[in-house]
Amino acid sequence: MKVLVTYRSLPGTGLVERLSRQFDVRVYEGDGYMSREDLLRAVADIDGLVSMLSERIDAELLDRAPVLKVVCNYAVGFNNVEVEAATARGIMITNTPGVVTDATADLAWAVLMGIARDVCRVDRFVRSGEWKEWRPEMFVAADITGTTLGIIGLGRIGQAMAKRAAGFDMRVLYADVSRADADVEQRSCAEYAPLDELLRESDFVTIHVPLNSSTHHLIDASALSLMKPTAYLVNTARGPIVDEHALVDALRCGRIAGAALDVYENEPQLADGLVELPNVILIPHLGANSRRTRDRMAAMTADNMIAALNGEVPPNLVNPQVVPHRRPLRVA
Ligand code: GLV
Ligand code: GLV
């Protein structure tokens, strides 16, 4: 079986070595990503594809891959994959859930604290040599401890945020498509709230839902207008969940106090005006980039590929409707 790995410099590695023991593995040797054209050509005879979150795996690509059986996305998010199109063609899709949870929550927490206490702006102030003497009124910042955290999406990462919030004596509200199980609520010390109420009451709003058609622009101008003028928005999920132009407007007019963003609507492009704003922290989609997490993502991606191409159900199958091509799925 032939496997294509579209990206050469995966940190952590072990992935290509493990896959090579069983499969004919081709690794794109260019620096960076394959062009769309090269990718479309390269999938013509492959059985398994290891894809990156910035690569669009859509019907056009799948149609160019007549023997493709599985796409193992090196990410927990799989909004870059047209899952329905894959399912319709009997192609399995896998992701890397669980292993990115703590690293993503750690980073969300870091930028939440960073924006509240103005860490990046203050760092620039010191570096620039503007700091002449200590003054008590310099950069008076927001409180974190004892405030209210609003978590949109109480999945794995949302719950990890709630756990961290407990250490800061925060009240935790959460909104989601449905109410979480009672034991999850209890463990998270989180109160369910309709999104409007969460936006009105929170000092920090942090987003942890997947991107799909129902979460696209979930945070738009009207949602932002409900937030307190002293509140901060944190997005480490996916950019298009927030209307970035509306966010720039809200930040510019002081409708909210600030934002910390790890993800953008059109990466790596930023909405006009975003970089000029003083009240934002901007980082380049690094939620899952801790060393341990990258290692585990590579291992999980390999596990998924090996299972799928051996006719087993991969551990992190996103579309269980697809019957693995060799052995039928056992009915539970
Ligand atoms: C990172 O964004 C991921 O989805 O794993
Ligand atoms: C969302 O991506 C989650 O892991 O809960």
Side-chain angles (χ1 to χ4, degrees):
M1 298 242 202
K2 296 185 177 65
V3 172
L4 173 65
V5 178
T6 62
Y7 191 79
R8 176 172 58 128
S9 311
L10 280 182
T13 70
L15 175 118
V16 171
E17 292 74 4
R18 278 184 65 204
L19 295 180
S20 298
R21 280 181 222 137
Q22 288 196 33
F23 313 119
D24 169 9
V25 180
R26 302 169 187 176
V27 181
Y28 173 61
E29 287 300 337
D31 182 29
Y33 292 103
M34 298 178 87
S35 70
R36 174 81 180 166
E37 266 161 50
D38 287 346
L39 181 58
L40 289 178
R41 230 172 294 134
V43 295
D45 62 345
I46 61 154
D47 301 277
L49 174 64
V50 173
S51 58
M52 301 297 123
L53 60 82
S54 48
E55 288 163 340
R56 195 157 36 86
I57 309 300
D58 55 8
E60 182 192 23
L61 182 143
L62 299 174
D63 284 339
R64 305 280 197 101
V67 296
L68 186 62
K69 293 157 190 71
V70 61
V71 177
C72 298
N73 207 43
Y74 178 81
V76 67
F78 47 86
N79 54 287
N80 58 310
V81 180
E82 283 182 10
V83 177
E84 262 176 53
T87 304
R89 290 161 180 76
I91 295 170
M92 292 176 268
I93 305 297
T94 71
N95 68 339
T96 64
V99 295
V100 307
T101 300
D102 283 323
T104 306
D106 287 348
L107 187 78
W109 204 264
V111 292
L112 181 156
M113 297 188 76
I115 192 63
R117 301 300 296 264
D118 248 342
V119 172
C120 296
R121 185 148 56 124
V122 171
D123 174 89
R124 290 192 290 270
F125 171 79
V126 172
R127 284 168 199 273
S128 70
E130 285 170 80
W131 187 28
K132 301 299 181 210
E133 62 186 345
W134 181 84
R135 290 174 177 234
E137 76 279 23
M138 276 192 319
F139 298 105
V140 175
D143 286 285
I144 301 166
T145 296
T147 62
T148 298
L149 177 67
I151 299 175
I152 303 179
L154 195 65
R156 287 174 294 258
I157 300 169
Q159 289 172 45
M161 289 301 282
K163 196 166 158 185
R164 285 154 180 73
F168 290 82
D169 296 329
M170 291 170 97
R171 175 181 181 220
V172 177
L173 302 176
Y174 79 95
D176 213 326
V177 280
S178 61
R179 212 171 151 157
D181 291 341
D183 65 312
V184 170
E185 279 191 1
Q186 215 163 22
R187 218 178 323 116
S188 304
C189 296
E191 299 163 46
Y192 182 72
L195 182 59
D196 287 9
E197 189 183 318
L198 177 148
L199 293 167
R200 270 191 216 102
E201 295 197 11
S202 298
D203 300 297
F204 299 91
V205 173
T206 185
I207 301 173
H208 302 287
V209 287
L211 171 62
N212 55 42
S213 54
S214 64
T215 59
H216 184 264
H217 283 194
L218 182 68
I219 302 302
D220 57 6
S222 79
L224 291 163
S225 73
L226 297 176
M227 289 175 63
K228 299 183 195 180
T230 51
Y232 296 87
L233 180 71
V234 177
N235 188 9
T236 56
R238 284 293 183 269
I241 298 167
V242 176
D243 179 341
E244 208 168 289
H245 292 284
L247 177 64
V248 170
D249 273 352
L251 289 164
R252 213 182 251 147
C253 309
R255 231 169 293 130
I256 67 171
L261 306 176
D262 184 37
V263 290
Y264 305 87
E265 271 206 82
N266 203 4
E267 296 173 13
Q269 253 88 267
L270 307 179
D272 283 346
L274 197 54
V275 290
E276 285 85 40
L277 293 169
N279 49 344
V280 290
I281 287 180
L282 306 172
I283 50 176
H285 201 146
L286 298 178
N289 81 330
S290 79
R291 280 184 278 278
R292 188 176 61 198
T293 299
R294 288 292 190 231
D295 267 341
R296 290 179 174 173
M297 289 171 74
M300 205 171 205
T301 303
D303 290 344
N304 282 315
M305 182 63 77
I306 290 166
L309 292 186
N310 283 298
E312 288 157 20
V313 182
N316 309 105
L317 185 60
V318 162
N319 53 346
Q321 314 89 303
V322 174
V323 176
H325 62 287
R326 288 225 234 118
R327 231 175 275 162
L329 255 179
R330 244 181 299 157
V331 180

